[in-house]
Amino acid sequence: MFFVAGNVEMLLVDERAVMPRRVMRFIIEGDDQRGPNNAAIIIPPGVAHALRAEGSRDAIMVYGTTTQFNPEFEGRIADDIERAPLPPDWDAYVGR
């Protein structure tokens, strides 16, 4: 994933069997705001991930996969979810 514009909040939870569980939560700034907070993200299999636009601007990203894209495997993006705080069940999942 590479973020062309806007800001994105990213959550990563390493759930791989051979790795210790680690939770990361951070903000990535799009390339339209050149600086040290620009990043491309590569997510390996077994790492749970979620993202949402941060702030009042839309985020634009470039997304690629190593497998053929199948929309049925993807989560649904809904505006009310993007603007909401983390739901209690996700908070509990991240904090375990």
Side-chain angles (χ1 to χ4, degrees):
M1 295 177 194
F2 181 76
F3 301 92
V4 177
N7 296 331
V8 175
E9 177 184 22
M10 166 102 19
L11 265 60
L12 300 173
V13 181
D14 195 339
E15 297 288 4
R16 294 174 288 181
V18 297
M19 302 292 289
R21 188 173 194 273
R22 183 171 178 197
V23 176
M24 290 186 283
R25 182 178 182 182
F26 50 94
I27 302 291
I28 302 170
E29 295 175 351
D31 196 49
D32 62 331
Q33 305 165 71
R34 297 273 170 111
N37 294 324
N38 303 130
I41 305 294
I42 298 172
I43 301 171
V47 175
H49 55 284
L51 59 94
R52 64 180 175 178
E54 175 66 26
S56 60
R57 297 178 14 187
D58 288 340
I60 300 171
M61 68 182 242
V62 177
Y63 181 87
T65 68
T66 56
T67 60
Q68 186 170 345
F69 177 75
N70 184 340
E72 295 174 10
F73 296 160
E74 298 297 316
R76 186 166 99 47
I77 297 173
D79 184 60
D80 58 338
I81 292 172
E82 289 181 348
R83 292 185 290 136
L86 289 177
D89 57 341
W90 181 254
D91 241 359
Y93 172 74
V94 170
R96 86 170 128 138

